[in-house]
């Protein structure tokens, strides 16, 4: 065997292959002492299978209150804005749907005005 002769008597082919293979790192004692928190299960649960009405889960005291999505506008003000937008869109559109948009937008806007005047007197 010429390879064994060329490598020398102290180093055989098996030792050369064994020395070139990557070795697994020794376990880190710090990581072994502090296990990771368990991951939540993605499997179906009995609580998720319920379809009846149930009480909402209690909110933790540290949870922030949700922000209002409309920026402080009342429902009546939102109705007036949507109604005015529909009337304006109906005036800009030149087809059969423009009459429907104008009439529906005027109805929604007037209902919003009625609600606004009723609550703010």
């Amino acid at each position: 065997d010429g390879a064994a002769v060329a490598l020398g008597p102290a180093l055989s082919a098996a030792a050369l292959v064994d020395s070139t293979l990557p070795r697994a790192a020794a376990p880190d004692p710090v990581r072994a002492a502090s296990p990771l928190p368990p991951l939540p299960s993605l499997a179906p649960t009995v609580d998720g299978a319920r379809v009846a009405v149930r009480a909402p889960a209690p909110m933790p005291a540290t949870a922030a209150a949700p922000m209002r999505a409309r920026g402080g506008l009342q429902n009546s003000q939102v109705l007036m804005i949507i109604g005015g937008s529909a009337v304006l869109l109906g005036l800009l559109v030149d087809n059969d749907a423009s009459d429907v948009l104008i009439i529906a937008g005027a109805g929604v806007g007037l209902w919003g005005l009625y609600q606004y005047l009723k609550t703010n007197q």
Side-chain angles (χ1 to χ4, degrees):
D1 187 32
V5 173
L7 293 175
L11 190 61
S12 67
L16 179 64
V17 170
D18 188 43
S19 67
T20 59
L21 291 176
R23 300 216 181 262
D28 188 10
V30 175
R31 288 190 185 180
S34 61
L36 295 175
L39 295 175
S41 174
L42 299 177
T45 61
V46 173
D47 191 42
R50 292 186 185 143
V51 293
V53 177
R54 57 183 180 241
M59 294 290 290
T62 59
M67 299 280 296
R68 290 189 61 171
R70 292 186 296 248
L73 294 177
Q74 298 174 359
N75 285 342
S76 58
Q77 293 171 329
V78 172
L79 286 171
M80 289 188 289
I81 292 170
I82 291 173
S85 301
V87 168
L88 182 64
L89 184 64
L91 292 173
L92 294 176
V93 173
D94 190 27
N95 60 16
D96 296 335
S98 64
D99 296 336
V100 174
L101 282 171
I102 292 171
I103 294 170
V108 170
L110 289 173
W111 178 254
L113 180 63
Y114 170 73
Q115 293 291 325
Y116 180 75
L117 293 175
K118 187 173 76 168
T119 57
N120 293 330
Q121 284 187 6

